[in-house]
């Protein structure tokens, strides 16, 4: 069956992956994930293809995430239908992280969730001033998956934990400073950059020619306070450190972070915190096994379905979470997300 939501092309020395669901902001489907994996395997044996470009046909987004509405509509009774999507997505993420040929993501818009998973693990992440990055999953009772446990711990000064817990949206300068982007370019230069990359075997001089310094990153100005608060040993300690900043020069930052965290699923927040801390000591494949364990448990619970209802379906933004606060969470409830699932661990 032909998949038109993602297109493939060979041009010069490059293989092009073109995300082609503009009306859905290129939300990833199971079919897209499988087709991408298959095509990357095909190009691995093609000597003409020296590197891979991943781009979008949408003017607004590179990829806004995974198409989780169908997963939510399946409900907990149809987990066996939902889990294969995540398993194949995680296999793709791991495959891209270890892919022998350079992967170059051309990010000219929104990049969130699943879109991060098909870009951040490659060798080059090139973003324009239209770049808008976030891992907002805890807002829908989910967790920062697609390898979030692998790359978020690598961001300096606990920026990754900050993004995981608050879903903070980062623009070009912040993404470049944090290392999410390897190169910053102007949106108007993206088409020319693509042409030049297709015409060359050595991508580094071309990327250097188009890249520019996006200037000061707003995130850098609060890096030390992010580090001090989100480097805590527990979620409750993060809350405590933020509360101690109320009424100080950092009041605006602290009150904003506390207000955001208060709206999130407490269970998702605790799972995400543990996920990022544990991921720091794991390989990419080990992270994906862990994330598969987490999603297998989350799909059995209530918060994900309630979060999708409140944020995506009804859009009332008043989810009724399973727990009312972080202090209610029991260790056993969290640890269940890190145990092998009934169907067995993810196999690559």
């Amino acid at each position: 069956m032909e998949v038109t939501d993602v297109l493939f092309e060979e041009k010069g020395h490059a293989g092009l992956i073109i995300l082609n669901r503009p009306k859905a902001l290129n939300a990833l489907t199971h079919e897209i994930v499988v087709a991408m994996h298959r095509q990357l395997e095909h190009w691995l044996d093609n000597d003409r293809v020296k590197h891979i470009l991943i781009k979008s046909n949408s003017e607004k987004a590179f990829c806004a995430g995974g198409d989780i509405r169908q997963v939510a509509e399946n409900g907990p009774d149809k987990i066996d239908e939902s889990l294969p999507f995540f398993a194949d997505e995680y296999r793709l993420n791991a495959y891209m992280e270890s892919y022998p040929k350079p992967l170059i993501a051309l990010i000219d818009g929104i990049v969130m969730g699943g879109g991060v998973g098909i870009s951040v693990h490659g060798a080059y992440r090139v973003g324009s001033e239209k770049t808008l990055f976030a891992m907002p999953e805890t807002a829908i009772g989910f967790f920062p998956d697609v390898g979030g446990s692998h790359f978020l711990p690598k961001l300096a000064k606990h920026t990754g934990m900050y993004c995981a817990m608050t879903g903070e949206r980062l623009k070009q300068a912040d993404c470049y400073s944090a290392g999410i982007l390897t190169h910053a370019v102007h949106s108007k230069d993206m088409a020319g950059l693509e042409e030049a990359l297709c015409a060359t075997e050595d991508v580094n001089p071309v990327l250097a020619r188009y890249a520019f310094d996006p200037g000061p990153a707003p995130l850098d100005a609060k890096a030390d306070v992010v580090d001090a608060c989100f480097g805590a040993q527990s979620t409750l300690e993060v809350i405590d450190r933020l509360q101690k900043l109320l009424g100080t020069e950092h009041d605006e930052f602290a009150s904003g972070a506390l207000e955001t965290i208060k709206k999130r699923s407490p269970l998702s927040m605790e799972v995400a915190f543990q996920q990022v801390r544990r991921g720091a000591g794991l390989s990419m494949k080990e992270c994906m096994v862990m994330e598969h364990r987490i999603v297998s448990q989350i799909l059995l619970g209530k918060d994900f379905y309630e979060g999708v209802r409140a944020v995506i379906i009804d859009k009332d933004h008043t989810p009724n979470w399973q727990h009312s606060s972080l202090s209610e969470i029991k260790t056993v409830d969290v640890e269940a997300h890190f145990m092998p699932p009934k169907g067995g661990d993810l196999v690559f």
Side-chain angles (χ1 to χ4, degrees):
M1 182 181 68
E2 184 182 7
V3 180
T4 58
D5 289 339
V6 60
L7 308 173
F8 306 106
E9 183 182 339
E10 291 177 20
K11 191 174 180 181
H13 298 288
L16 271 65
I17 296 176
I18 306 162
L19 302 170
N20 192 42
R21 288 189 79 199
K23 290 183 180 178
L25 300 181
N26 291 329
L28 298 178
T29 63
H30 196 175
E31 289 76 19
I32 291 174
V33 165
V34 171
M36 283 182 63
H37 201 148
R38 186 183 301 124
Q39 189 65 39
L40 285 170
E41 289 177 331
H42 171 72
W43 276 331
L44 194 58
D45 298 324
N46 187 334
D47 292 337
R48 295 189 307 277
V49 174
K50 304 299 182 184
H51 42 268
I52 316 297
L53 307 184
I54 309 165
K55 55 173 283 192
S56 160
N57 267 351
S58 165
E59 293 184 0
K60 294 182 179 179
F62 172 79
C63 173
D67 196 347
I68 48 82
R69 184 170 183 147
Q70 182 61 54
V71 176
E73 288 174 352
N74 282 347
D77 295 332
K78 295 184 178 179
I79 291 175
D80 289 345
E81 293 181 23
S82 300
L83 268 179
F85 163 64
F86 292 103
D88 284 333
E89 185 179 25
Y90 297 170
R91 289 186 185 103
L92 173 64
N93 300 146
Y95 187 63
M96 294 180 81
E97 193 269 343
S98 63
Y99 198 67
K101 296 184 179 183
L103 299 178
I104 308 165
L106 302 179
I107 302 167
D108 195 25
I110 297 166
V111 57
M112 297 183 183
V116 176
I118 59 168
S119 57
V120 78
H121 305 300
Y124 303 99
R125 289 88 62 191
V126 183
S128 78
E129 67 275 12
K130 289 162 60 178
T131 298
L132 182 63
F133 163 95
M135 295 296 281
E137 291 83 1
T138 54
I140 57 165
F142 205 61
F143 69 107
D145 64 339
V146 295
S149 49
H150 185 66
F151 83 88
L152 289 173
K154 292 179 169 59
L155 304 186
K157 297 202 169 186
H158 294 98
T159 299
M161 184 65 81
Y162 172 56
C163 289
M165 291 186 71
T166 67
E168 177 73 342
R169 296 185 170 201
L170 306 182
K171 295 185 178 180
Q172 184 186 41
D174 282 333
C175 288
Y176 181 69
S177 177
I180 296 164
L181 295 179
T182 58
H183 297 79
V185 301
H186 296 289
S187 181
K188 63 181 176 61
D189 292 335
M190 275 291 192
L193 172 60
E194 179 187 331
E195 289 295 322
L197 288 171
C198 289
T200 187
E201 290 191 40
D202 186 1
V203 300
N204 285 299
V206 172
L207 290 169
R209 188 164 77 244
Y210 280 85
F212 75 101
D213 185 345
L219 193 60
D220 287 349
K222 53 188 178 185
D224 288 340
V225 70
V226 167
D227 190 36
C229 294
F230 289 86
Q233 301 298 304
S234 70
T235 54
L236 292 176
E237 191 179 343
V238 170
I239 302 296
D240 183 60
R241 292 184 183 186
L242 287 168
Q243 288 175 334
K244 287 177 178 176
L245 294 179
L246 297 177
T248 72
E249 61 181 309
H250 301 298
D251 180 89
E252 185 178 354
F253 168 78
S255 59
L258 285 167
E259 185 63 27
T260 298
I261 291 171
K262 183 180 176 182
K263 295 176 182 176
R264 301 298 200 236
S265 156
L267 183 57
S268 288
M269 195 69 68
E270 194 64 56
V271 168
F273 182 87
Q274 291 296 331
Q275 166 207 355
V276 173
R277 285 180 63 84
R278 297 180 192 205
L282 302 177
S283 68
M284 178 64 175
K285 282 190 175 181
E286 288 170 335
C287 282
M288 302 322 297
V289 168
M290 176 176 69
E291 292 185 13
H292 182 257
R293 291 180 176 186
I294 296 172
V295 75
S296 298
Q297 184 67 22
I298 276 188
L299 294 182
L300 289 171
K302 298 178 180 177
D303 279 3
F304 168 65
Y305 305 102
E306 174 61 10
V308 173
R309 180 207 63 75
V311 176
I312 296 174
I313 298 174
D314 295 342
K315 298 182 180 179
D316 57 29
H317 295 275
T318 55
N320 181 23
W321 300 126
Q322 189 176 346
H323 304 83
S324 61
S325 69
L326 286 165
S327 58
E328 280 187 19
I329 306 292
K330 294 182 172 64
T331 301
V332 65
D333 294 332
V334 178
E335 287 303 314
H337 294 76
F338 297 90
M339 302 297 289
K342 184 177 66 174
D345 275 327
L346 183 67
V347 176
F348 297 93

